[in-house]
Amino acid sequence: MLVSTRGRYALRVMIDLAEHQGEGYIPLKEIAERQEISEKYLENILKILVRNKVLIGLRGKGGGYRLAKSPDLYTVGSILRMTEGSLAPVACLAEDAERCSRMASCPTLPMWTKLDKMITEFFDSITIADLMSSSLPGDNYVI
Amino acid sequence: MLVSTRGRYALRVMIDLAEHQGEGYIPLKEIAERQEISEKYLENILKILVRNKVLIGLRGKGGGYRLAKSPDLYTVGSILRMTEGSLAPVACLAEDAERCSRMASCPTLPMWTKLDKMITEFFDSITIADLMSSSLPGDNYVI
DNA sequence: GTCTCTACCAACCTTTCTAGTAGGTTTATA
DNA sequence: TATAAACCTACTAGAAAGGTTGGTAGAGAC
């Protein structure tokens, strides 16, 4: 599995917040309810997004979360890299991979590299705004 | 990680055997040595390929493994599906996934479906013959 | 007929990742 | 000061990854 629940939920939250922009700070409880995701689990995911300054969290009564910037300024790729760590299709291409001694002669490496590039370009070509329900699904984020 | 060692090793074995076609049956020991993979672990992987009739195993002295068909008749996709089970980038798209109640309104589903199609088409467009060292790496299995 | 080489098979193991849960602390508003 | 919220640390059950152990069965050479 390339993308786990962490990344998928993060994207859904981003879209949810994008659709409720201008309504001030949205409490976690509300998002969790709408998205049918456990509050406590979601908390862990939103923490990552706040740390990366994608979301702004406000404490106390009337607090909650909101997007730091406009939805068209966030690519799906950037959100997934934050939450998933790496989007590499194979271990050898992960940033923290130990250098493989067979690299120079590996007959499969060019294939993996090419796929990695395809995936990266795909995710980086789509923004949160593209995913919003107001968009026609399936055709507007053509690669 | 989309593709684990199981799938990667399987591909390397297929290429290895393709490059030693016409030399009769190649014992596991030899492959393991050349590929620097533990014999015992490789055994588990080859079992899958034999079960799927991609390789033919012969026991006893002089035994070993050989490809059942020509290398250009095996796509990378078919080998990976055998060994990895599923190549779906997200859980919702796996064959054995339980039907998600949000499917109809999910704003991210079209993106996942599109990526899944891209990945499948990529892997199905490359054969073991394309990966052999005699090929120029990087340009001949253009999608 | 038995020795050796080989594939084949079932079970087990360790480490890491996934998908959470529990319980408390801090900050802001009413 | 009560309450609503984010924030923080730690824990956990289960699954998957990446193997290992110890055998059984078949085929050829002597």
Side-chain angles (χ1 to χ4, degrees):
Chain A
M1 217 59 51
L2 188 67
V3 180
S4 69
T5 53
R6 289 242 302 288
R8 284 191 288 132
Y9 289 177
L11 287 179
R12 279 168 52 188
V13 169
M14 292 293 290
I15 297 167
D16 187 292
L17 286 175
E19 283 169 347
H20 293 82
Q21 258 184 314
E23 297 176 26
Y25 288 87
I26 313 288
L28 174 73
K29 199 178 169 182
E30 237 180 76
I31 307 172
E33 215 160 89
R34 265 198 300 263
Q35 297 296 327
E36 294 172 288
I37 300 170
S38 130
E39 279 181 54
K40 277 303 193 175
Y41 187 40
L42 211 48
E43 205 179 285
N44 292 319
I45 297 170
L46 292 209
K47 197 162 34 177
I48 303 173
L49 297 176
V50 171
R51 197 166 48 223
N52 281 281
K53 309 216 187 288
V54 163
L55 297 186
I56 293 167
L58 183 71
R59 297 191 194 194
K61 207 163 189 169
Y65 297 92
R66 66 172 181 83
L67 295 183
K69 292 188 289 180
S70 164
D72 59 317
L73 295 177
Y74 297 111
T75 66
V76 169
S78 68
I79 302 299
L80 290 182
R81 273 186 292 271
M82 275 170 210
T83 47
E84 295 286 328
S86 168
L87 292 176
V90 287
C92 356
L93 292 182
E95 298 73 39
D96 58 345
E98 51 184 65
R99 172 149 176 84
C100 171
S101 65
R102 309 185 124 258
M103 227 166 199
S105 64
C106 179
T108 55
L109 185 56
M111 174 177 70
W112 303 130
T113 305
K114 184 163 181 150
L115 177 62
D116 188 35
K117 188 159 172 283
M118 262 178 57
I119 292 172
T120 301
E121 284 174 356
F122 177 74
F123 282 138
D124 286 347
S125 75
I126 308 171
T127 71
I128 297 300
D130 293 328
L131 293 178
M132 289 171 69
S133 64
S134 50
S135 320
L136 286 167
D139 280 313
N140 48 333
Y141 43 77
V142 169
I143 198 165
Chain B
M1 216 60 51
L2 187 67
V3 180
S4 69
T5 53
R6 290 241 301 289
R8 284 190 288 132
Y9 289 177
L11 287 179
R12 278 167 53 186
V13 168
M14 292 294 289
I15 296 167
D16 188 292
L17 286 175
E19 283 170 347
H20 292 83
Q21 257 185 315
E23 296 177 25
Y25 287 87
I26 313 288
L28 173 74
K29 200 178 170 180
E30 238 179 75
I31 308 172
E33 217 160 88
R34 264 199 300 264
Q35 298 296 326
E36 295 173 287
I37 301 170
S38 128
E39 281 181 52
K40 277 303 194 178
Y41 187 41
L42 210 50
E43 206 179 284
N44 292 320
I45 296 170
L46 292 208
K47 197 163 36 179
I48 304 173
L49 298 175
V50 170
R51 197 165 50 223
N52 282 279
K53 307 215 189 291
V54 163
L55 297 186
I56 294 169
L58 183 70
R59 296 190 195 195
K61 208 162 189 168
Y65 296 92
R66 67 174 180 80
L67 295 183
K69 293 189 289 181
S70 165
D72 58 316
L73 295 177
Y74 297 111
T75 66
V76 169
S78 68
I79 303 299
L80 290 182
R81 273 186 291 271
M82 275 171 209
T83 47
E84 294 287 328
S86 168
L87 293 176
V90 288
C92 355
L93 292 182
E95 298 74 39
D96 58 345
E98 51 184 65
R99 175 151 175 83
C100 170
S101 66
R102 308 184 126 257
M103 227 168 201
S105 65
C106 179
T108 56
L109 186 56
M111 175 177 70
W112 304 129
T113 306
K114 183 161 181 153
L115 177 62
D116 188 34
K117 189 160 170 283
M118 262 178 56
I119 292 172
T120 301
E121 284 174 357
F122 177 73
F123 282 139
D124 286 346
S125 75
I126 308 172
T127 71
I128 298 300
D130 293 329
L131 293 178
M132 291 170 68
S133 64
S134 51
S135 320
L136 286 166
D139 280 312
N140 49 332
Y141 43 78
V142 169
I143 199 164

